[in-house]
Amino acid sequence: MFKKLRRGNLGDSIFAVIVFLFGVSMLALIMGVIFQLWIQSGDSREEFGLSFLWGREYNPSTGIYGALPFIYGTLVTAFNAIVIAGPIGLGIAVFLVEVAPERINRIVGFLVEMLAAIPSIVYGLWGFFVLAPFLGDYVVPPLQGVFGWIPIFQGTFVPATVFTASIVLAVMILPTVAAISRDVIRAVPDAQREAMYALGATRWEMFSRAVLPYARNGVLGALILGLGRAAGETMAVTFIIGNRPEIFSSFFGQGATIASQIAAQFPEAGGLTLSVLMQLGLILFIITITINVGARLLVSLLSRGPEGGMRT
Amino acid sequence: MSATASRQDRPTLGGSGTPHAKRRRNIDRVMTVVTVLCTILALIPLVWITAYTVYRGIGSWDVGFFTQLPQLFGDGGGVRNGIVGTLFIVGMASVMGIPVGVMVGIYLSEYGNGRFAAMIRFLTDNLTGVPSIVVGLFAYGAIGLVTGGFNAFTGAFALAVMMAPIIARTTEEILRLVPASIREASLALGVPRWKTITRVVLPTALSGVITGVILAVARVAGETAPLIVTILGNNYDISLNPFGGPSTTLSLQVYQLAGQPSQEVVSNAWGGALLLIIFVLGLSIGARLIFKGGKGASF
């Protein structure tokens, strides 16, 4: 910014070096996370090699460990959550940008952010003690009545199921999806809207044909970021999903995610089990970092202006 | 080409009662209603969760709830050690995480125009997306195993690692809002750059920075997952020794008490959840009151 100014001021040099080092500490942290997870999971990697990834059995008593049920559970619940939360979050974003008057906009925006502030563990409590019985009484019977012939909707409903976990996850990632979609849709130039209106379009036609296509990448990024949030969510899922290392075939089955398995097993873990959990953590880290990097590239490629844009 | 012919090709909405125009109008109305419904649908859980937590939690709030240790096989006891533990561990995490976050924010905003800084910004963003349980595993490996297993300091370190990137990004955003003319005025008076940043830029943006910091503290105050794998939980005593073995926080206690068979204990878990919600939402709302007019960081 003011590079050429005041060369040779000692205080400035010292300060610049200090803040730079703090900046580098972020790089060091990421490296540290990767390094630690790699080192700590050494025993497990040595024991099982790559077959850990598709091992279907997880049994501490026989010492055979596989990660597949958890990878499967993580991806399926996160995917379910985004299928539910995606359209709703997008709807909220459209409401906030295109429909709501300024005052309502502020209030609703604030309330949606409050939804994000509720601790994960409280979601877990609510999901298990309140939402699950409610679903069992009022939602699952009609659902099975209509779709019961489809395998994924078969089985007896117990409170702790994949179904409940998916819905709670959906609620938890709604704020993420809504807030990012809102920012992205807001960033679409008004000329797009005005041009559509000038052609005599209705508001919905204007949005669906001139705004949404323009914001498509960003909305996709918002959905993927939501997916990443859901994949890493721990406490609520640990409470609700049933924590069985099984590859469930129905929404009303029980399963486990990588995060819930680590949370449930870590307190008793030692030796090889500890190493196995560390390797599960490494897998989760790789999954989420891949999701996040992809999403952020999508979001930043869109019209948010160049990163670190004009500041002079 | 007469005007009527072109109207046949592309009917307008204005006052025309053709079926086509009606259908377009109706679709527009339906979609508007749908967006409203989506919004209402999202607010139902918010009201439902907070209302139910108040309803279940308030009953367990008596003097003993705040002053006793948990009794898993008695009348439930209280959550004193959870309350103390939360203040202790979140406090320790703040001491570690806030300065780092603010300094990284200064770097990204004031020195952040190069390619290297862009990379740091990208990494910082992605650090905020690392699952909290993974941060916990990292802390356990890096600190816990070196300091003799589960202890409060390891948990605080995990929370600090979660806080710093969030604070860095909000600080950067706020500092970027400070007009360049203010920096230029200070520099023109011959004030060194470091003093300009610490004495002019930071104070100008202070309320925004504080808001970002409080929001980050609120975010980690409700965390449970990284604490399971770093402080384990402890329902028997309180130790304010950072390296004094397993420790607990309110959030962790809620998790552990909720799984107990005794109804009184489960009721205390709800009481703890209520306290946690009040604490976290109170911090979030308070932070936004400090910084009016700006938009809070939501992710």
Side-chain angles (χ1 to χ4, degrees):
Chain A
M1 197 164 120
F2 302 107
K3 246 191 191 132
K4 295 280 184 288
L5 291 173
R6 307 197 49 93
R7 274 271 164 82
N9 180 315
L10 185 64
D12 280 359
S13 315
I14 293 173
F15 189 78
V17 167
I18 290 174
V19 293
F20 176 76
L21 287 177
F22 273 103
V24 173
S25 76
M26 293 290 111
L27 175 65
L29 265 184
I30 286 266
M31 295 298 197
V33 171
I34 297 169
F35 174 78
Q36 275 299 338
L37 292 173
W38 183 258
I39 294 289
Q40 302 296 344
S41 61
D43 290 351
S44 172
R45 280 182 293 107
E46 218 158 276
E47 183 81 17
F48 306 108
L50 266 182
S51 67
F52 184 72
L53 290 175
W54 50 85
R56 299 181 62 139
E57 195 183 339
Y58 182 99
N59 192 337
S61 55
T62 57
I64 295 176
Y65 296 99
L68 194 61
F70 314 115
I71 297 173
Y72 173 81
T74 302
L75 296 179
V76 170
T77 50
F79 181 75
N80 290 348
I82 206 71
V83 166
I84 301 168
I88 298 174
L90 189 56
I92 297 169
V94 176
F95 173 78
L96 288 174
V97 180
E98 309 289 356
V99 180
E102 184 56 36
R103 219 158 45 107
I104 291 182
N105 202 330
R106 258 208 304 271
I107 295 168
V108 171
F110 174 73
L111 289 175
V112 171
E113 280 181 12
M114 286 299 105
L115 202 57
I118 293 176
S120 171
I121 180 67
V122 180
Y123 275 106
L125 241 60
W126 170 75
F128 187 82
F129 289 110
V130 186
L131 183 66
F134 173 83
L135 292 176
D137 290 346
Y138 302 104
V139 177
V140 175
L143 204 64
Q144 286 193 315
V146 180
F147 298 107
W149 50 275
I150 308 175
I152 53 173
F153 287 111
Q154 278 165 8
T156 352
F157 181 80
V158 288
T161 51
V162 173
F163 184 69
T164 321
S166 301
I167 291 181
V168 173
L169 275 181
V171 176
M172 294 180 75
I173 62 173
L174 255 184
T176 307
V177 177
I180 303 174
S181 303
R182 177 195 60 193
D183 292 352
V184 166
I185 293 170
R186 202 176 268 161
V188 174
D190 270 337
Q192 295 281 113
R193 298 183 173 89
E194 287 154 13
M196 263 324 253
Y197 279 142
L199 292 172
T202 62
R203 179 160 57 194
W204 171 246
E205 287 161 349
M206 176 277 294
F207 177 78
S208 60
R209 295 177 202 182
V211 175
L212 194 57
Y214 197 102
R216 199 183 50 214
N217 283 351
V219 171
L220 200 61
L223 294 181
I224 300 174
L225 275 177
L227 191 72
R229 279 291 296 274
E233 189 47 56
T234 311
M235 291 325 297
V237 181
T238 307
F239 226 91
I240 301 168
I241 200 165
N243 288 325
R244 288 230 199 105
E246 286 168 16
I247 297 186
F248 47 89
S249 57
S250 157
F251 285 150
F252 304 127
Q254 304 202 306
T257 66
I258 297 177
S260 76
Q261 183 67 9
I262 296 169
Q265 300 298 320
F266 200 89
E268 290 103 54
L272 184 60
T273 313
L274 182 65
S275 183
V276 165
L277 293 179
M278 286 284 183
Q279 192 174 355
L280 282 176
L282 181 62
I283 294 169
L284 179 60
F285 177 78
I286 292 168
I287 291 175
T288 49
I289 208 87
T290 308
I291 291 175
N292 273 311
V293 167
R296 281 184 205 290
L297 285 177
L298 272 174
V299 173
S300 66
L301 286 180
L302 128 196
S303 54
R304 273 198 167 177
E307 272 287 322
M310 302 289 292
R311 281 198 307 113
T312 40
Chain B
M1 289 296 284
S2 67
T4 41
S6 67
R7 182 170 296 179
Q8 286 298 311
D9 299 338
R10 211 178 50 226
T12 56
L13 282 173
S16 58
T18 59
H20 183 73
K22 270 199 184 117
R23 212 185 75 226
R24 288 172 57 204
R25 228 192 330 255
N26 288 338
I27 290 177
D28 185 50
R29 282 177 187 155
V30 167
M31 291 320 288
T32 303
V33 171
V34 165
T35 65
V36 175
L37 286 180
C38 283
T39 308
I40 293 170
L41 197 61
L43 298 181
I44 290 172
L46 179 67
V47 176
W48 195 359
I49 292 171
T50 43
Y52 189 85
T53 306
V54 171
Y55 155 73
R56 277 296 301 269
I58 204 85
S60 65
W61 278 25
D62 49 27
V63 175
F65 176 82
F66 297 95
T67 59
Q68 291 177 0
L69 294 174
Q71 293 182 336
L72 301 186
F73 306 106
D75 62 348
V79 294
R80 185 181 70 183
N81 52 352
I83 298 170
V84 173
T86 289
L87 296 175
F88 177 54
I89 287 170
V90 172
M92 255 199 298
S94 303
V95 170
M96 290 186 271
I98 294 172
V100 175
V102 172
M103 290 301 269
V104 175
I106 291 175
Y107 169 71
L108 290 176
S109 155
E110 308 299 308
Y111 298 83
N113 282 340
R115 292 190 68 130
F116 184 79
M119 182 193 76
I120 296 290
R121 184 176 297 115
F122 187 72
L123 289 179
T124 309
D125 260 343
N126 282 300
L127 262 177
T128 58
V130 174
S132 58
I133 187 110
V134 172
V135 173
L137 290 177
F138 159 64
Y140 183 78
I143 309 285
L145 287 176
V146 183
T147 54
F150 299 108
N151 59 49
F153 181 80
T154 309
F157 176 79
L159 296 187
V161 170
M162 291 178 64
M163 265 159 96
I166 303 174
I167 293 173
R169 292 296 273 133
T170 52
T171 302
E172 183 199 1
E173 271 182 37
I174 298 294
L175 293 185
R176 280 184 183 277
L177 295 178
V178 176
S181 56
I182 292 183
R183 292 186 183 86
E184 286 156 9
S186 169
L187 292 167
L189 291 170
V191 180
R193 197 170 163 192
W194 69 273
K195 261 196 174 161
T196 300
I197 292 169
T198 52
R199 299 285 171 82
V200 179
V201 178
L202 261 185
T204 308
L206 195 61
S207 70
V209 173
I210 290 175
T211 298
V213 165
I214 296 177
L215 285 176
V217 171
R219 167 94 62 97
V220 302
E223 275 294 343
T224 316
L227 297 174
I228 290 181
V229 302
T230 50
I231 68 175
L232 188 63
N234 178 349
N235 290 320
Y236 305 104
D237 64 352
I238 318 170
S239 149
L240 290 186
N241 173 359
F243 302 102
S247 178
T248 194
T249 65
L250 195 54
S251 54
L252 192 48
Q253 216 154 40
V254 169
Y255 169 61
Q256 289 172 338
L257 297 185
Q260 294 289 328
S262 150
Q263 275 311 304
E264 284 98 345
V265 176
V266 173
S267 163
N268 270 351
W270 280 106
L274 176 59
L275 195 55
L276 205 57
I277 283 191
I278 290 174
F279 185 60
V280 171
L281 291 190
L283 279 177
S284 304
I285 295 168
R288 287 183 175 82
L289 290 180
I290 291 175
F291 186 64
K292 277 216 172 96
K295 69 177 187 76
S298 42
F299 44 84

